[in-house]
């Protein structure tokens, strides 16, 4: 499948930097690694030809040379065309979005047909061009760090999960090295006698032994058993290729990961290819798409809140994607975050895992994805952990502010009492009904 990649570097880098400066630096310093992840591991968008594989015909990055000049060599070595987009106004506004749109439209009319347009940006200004590409029967894949608008998300065929990108694409190539052997020192009273040089025999060529289908089924079942949510097929393919070099692209004679997965005896696990490249899940433990309170029949009495607050929570969840947690669970989450940051330095991935584990130990079944959503929401609205402002009232107040801003962006009309009601939800201060 012929693909073209367009990277709004300023937008992606600044979004990742809010999450973790080290993540942003890795994105800018090692583009070739995450490009290989795009080509080999990322699932294809819906409607892509069966057994298709990506071939990046275009790699283009747009950056402000006045600010990000130090990343030019990395992208140059990664085979990118670099388009300089310097600041055009006193506020630092660049013309990146115009350059990207013009280049995409130009490529759309090129004699070489590109099947997929990959856009790295959370800028909702690209929504019209995504819709134009869809009208011209092109597939679109988007990486939007942060909280992209609902219209932007709906206009893309495949939305790359930020956690998946950070975990799998930006962590590629990390290896554990053995310690070097200690030097051999001859005793001082025993002279060392030189020995004639004898060339070492050439090592036998390594033979890759691929696991059997039964062994792979057991490995896949283990991955699903450890997961709190349905496992994305893209993540599963990435893990298998990392653990069993040589398994792809043949996939035990099936020629593609999808056909390979469908050929395995995985029952009672269920495969669903309906969205975002497919998921594998256990129907007893997992829910593929968590229903909202309105559809699941959740009553206000279940959470100990009044019906008006529950109606507001439904609206905010449908608009922003904020996790549907009870007031009790949200309060426990904020307590765990405050306690963890007070004890150890904040780091997005490590803190998220520790908080999730602590919540499980105290009887709160809150997924890692929900914890990360809250942490990302706080980081992206400007909160800095470890500055002495990690108490529950401050954390909940800032997350409420982020939710209100996201709702206003989506033109959701809210009453003046909405911030106070949401604050009551997040801090667990419920009202008896």
């Amino acid at each position: 499948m012929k693909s073209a990649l367009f990277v709004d570097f300023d937008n992606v880098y600044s979004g990742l930097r809010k999450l973790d400066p080290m993540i942003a630096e890795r994105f800018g310093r090692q583009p070739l690694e995450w490009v290989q992840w795009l080509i080999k591991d990322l699932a294809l968008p819906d409607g892509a030809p069966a057994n298709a594989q990506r071939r990046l015909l275009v790699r283009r990055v747009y950056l402000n040379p006045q600010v990000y000049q130090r990343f030019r060599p990395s992208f140059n070595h990664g085979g990118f065309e670099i388009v300089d987009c310097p600041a055009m106004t006193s506020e630092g506004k660049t013309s990146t979005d115009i350059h990207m749109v013009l280049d995409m439209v130009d490529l759309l009319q090129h004699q070489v047909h590109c099947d997929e347009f990959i856009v790295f940006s959370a800028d909702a200004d690209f929504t019209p061009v995504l819709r134009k590409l869809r009208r011209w029967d092109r597939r679109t894949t988007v990486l939007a760090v942060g909280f992209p608008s609902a219209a932007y998300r709906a206009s893309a065929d495949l939305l790359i999960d930020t956690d998946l990108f950070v975990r799998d694409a930006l962590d590629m190539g990390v290896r554990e090295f053995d310690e070097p052997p200690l030097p051999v020192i001859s005793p001082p009273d025993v002279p060392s006698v030189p020995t004639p040089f004898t060339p070492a025999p050439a090592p036998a060529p390594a033979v890759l032994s691929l696991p059997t289908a039964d062994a792979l089924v057991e490995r896949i079942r283990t991955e699903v058993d450890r997961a709190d949510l349905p496992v994305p097929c893209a993540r599963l393919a990435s893990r298998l290729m990392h653990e069993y070099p040589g398994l792809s692209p043949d996939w035990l004679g099936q020629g593609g990961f999808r056909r390979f997965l469908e050929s395995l005896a995985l029952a009672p696990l269920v495969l669903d290819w309906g969205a975002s490249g497919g998921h594998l899940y256990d129907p007893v433990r997992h829910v593929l798409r968590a229903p909202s309170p309105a559809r699941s029949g959740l009553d206000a009495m279940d959470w100990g809140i009044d019906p008006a607050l529950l109606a507001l929570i439904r609206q905010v969840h449908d608009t922003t994607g904020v996790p549907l947690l009870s007031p009790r669970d949200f309060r426990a989450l904020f307590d765990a975050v405050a306690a963890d940051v007070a004890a150890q330095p904040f780091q997005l991935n490590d803190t998220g895992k520790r908080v999730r584990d602590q919540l499980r130990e105290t009887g709160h079944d809150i997924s890692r994805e929900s914890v990360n959503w809250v942490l990302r929401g706080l980081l992206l609205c400007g909160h800095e952990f470890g500055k002495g402002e990690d108490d529950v009232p401050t954390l909940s107040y800032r997350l409420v502010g982020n939710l209100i801003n996201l709702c206003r962006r989506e033109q959701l009309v809210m009453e003046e009492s909405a911030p106070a009601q949401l604050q009551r939800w997040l801090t667990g201060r419920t009202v008896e009904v």
Side-chain angles (χ1 to χ4, degrees):
M1 185 172 70
K2 299 183 181 71
S3 302
L5 171 63
F6 301 86
V7 179
D8 182 348
F9 182 84
D10 304 36
N11 184 279
V12 179
Y13 181 86
S14 59
L16 291 175
R17 186 170 177 80
K18 291 178 181 178
L19 301 181
D20 189 326
M22 293 181 62
I23 293 175
E25 286 296 310
R26 188 170 180 83
F27 170 77
R29 297 291 185 186
Q30 301 179 356
L32 193 56
E33 294 189 354
W34 51 259
V35 163
Q36 292 302 313
W37 178 81
L38 284 177
I39 296 173
K40 297 180 179 179
D41 299 342
L42 180 63
L44 300 177
D46 293 339
N51 303 324
Q53 291 184 334
R54 281 189 179 87
R55 183 186 177 200
L56 279 181
L57 302 185
V58 176
R59 302 179 187 183
R60 196 165 291 170
V61 60
Y62 305 77
L63 55 79
N64 184 345
Q66 299 163 332
V67 181
Y68 300 114
Q69 181 69 20
R70 65 188 185 279
F71 296 112
R72 289 180 68 90
S74 301
F75 282 92
N76 187 40
H77 296 159
F80 278 79
E81 301 173 58
I82 302 173
V83 180
D84 288 332
C85 300
M88 306 294 288
T89 67
S90 58
E91 291 80 14
K93 175 66 175 176
T94 70
S95 57
T96 295
D97 50 356
I98 299 298
H99 279 290
M100 289 179 65
V101 169
L102 290 175
D103 287 348
M104 282 187 271
V105 173
D106 181 62
L107 185 60
L108 186 61
Q109 300 170 350
H110 196 275
Q111 60 183 357
V112 176
H113 179 96
C114 274
D115 306 290
E116 180 190 31
F117 287 68
I118 305 173
V119 181
F120 277 26
S121 178
D123 192 340
D125 289 347
F126 292 108
T127 302
V129 76
L130 293 183
R131 293 173 177 173
K132 181 179 181 65
L133 291 169
R134 177 176 289 171
R135 290 197 300 270
W136 282 67
D137 194 27
R138 302 304 201 273
R139 304 293 177 264
T140 55
T141 297
V142 170
L143 173 68
V145 179
F147 300 100
S149 68
Y152 191 47
R153 296 195 305 267
S155 299
D157 294 306
L158 174 63
L159 192 67
I160 302 174
D161 180 71
T162 302
D163 287 340
L164 176 68
F165 183 77
V166 169
R167 181 178 57 247
D168 292 350
L170 299 183
D171 284 345
M172 293 178 62
V174 179
R175 300 177 182 175
E176 296 292 337
F177 293 94
D178 297 327
E179 293 184 1
L182 295 175
V184 178
I185 304 176
S186 301
D189 56 342
V190 179
S192 57
V193 180
T195 57
F197 171 75
T198 303
V207 178
L208 294 175
S209 69
L210 296 179
T212 63
D214 291 340
L216 289 170
V217 167
E218 289 303 314
R219 175 65 186 88
I220 292 171
R221 290 186 185 278
T222 300
E223 188 73 18
V224 175
D225 289 343
R226 294 188 309 191
D228 298 323
L229 295 173
V231 178
C233 291
R235 183 197 310 173
L236 189 59
S238 176
R239 298 277 171 85
L240 294 178
M241 288 189 294
H242 176 73
E243 295 176 15
Y244 307 107
L247 184 58
S248 66
D250 184 61
W251 293 105
L252 297 186
Q254 296 298 324
F257 179 69
R258 178 167 180 167
R259 291 181 59 184
F260 158 77
L261 209 56
E262 291 174 343
S263 71
L264 300 177
L266 295 172
L269 301 184
V270 176
L271 269 169
D272 185 283
W273 300 101
S276 300
H279 293 80
L280 181 66
Y281 65 100
D282 183 349
V284 176
R285 298 176 50 246
H286 302 142
V287 177
L288 186 59
R289 294 181 180 86
S292 69
R295 292 186 293 273
S296 64
L298 177 65
D299 189 84
M301 291 293 293
D302 296 336
W303 282 2
I305 60 177
D306 58 85
L309 177 54
L310 181 58
L312 175 62
I313 292 172
R314 291 171 180 168
Q315 279 188 310
V316 174
H317 164 73
D318 291 340
T319 303
T320 68
V322 62
L324 281 173
L325 303 179
S326 69
R328 174 178 172 270
D329 284 341
F330 250 125
R331 178 55 189 252
L333 193 159
F334 280 119
D335 284 336
V337 170
D340 186 89
V341 175
Q344 302 185 63
F346 177 85
Q347 202 282 329
L348 179 61
N349 292 330
D350 294 341
T351 301
K353 183 179 184 303
R354 291 193 301 265
V355 169
R356 190 275 311 272
D357 294 343
Q358 176 62 28
L359 289 169
R360 283 184 173 179
E361 292 176 3
T362 55
H364 297 272
D365 188 16
I366 301 176
S367 69
R368 176 80 175 274
E369 284 76 7
S370 295
V371 174
N372 281 353
W373 197 101
V374 172
L375 295 178
R376 288 201 312 270
L378 291 167
L379 291 169
L380 292 171
C381 72
H383 181 76
E384 295 186 41
F385 289 97
K387 300 294 184 180
E389 299 180 339
D390 301 318
D391 55 283
V392 174
T394 300
L395 295 177
S396 59
Y397 176 80
R398 290 181 175 170
L399 187 61
V400 167
N402 189 36
L403 295 178
I404 295 297
N405 288 334
L406 292 175
C407 289
R408 286 174 178 167
R409 183 190 67 185
E410 301 297 334
Q411 302 179 16
L412 177 65
V413 178
M414 309 179 74
E415 297 181 358
E416 293 184 1
S417 61
Q421 290 179 291
L422 293 175
Q423 182 81 2
R424 183 155 50 87
W425 170 40
L426 299 186
T427 56
R429 299 199 306 271
T430 59
V431 175
E432 296 295 331
V433 294

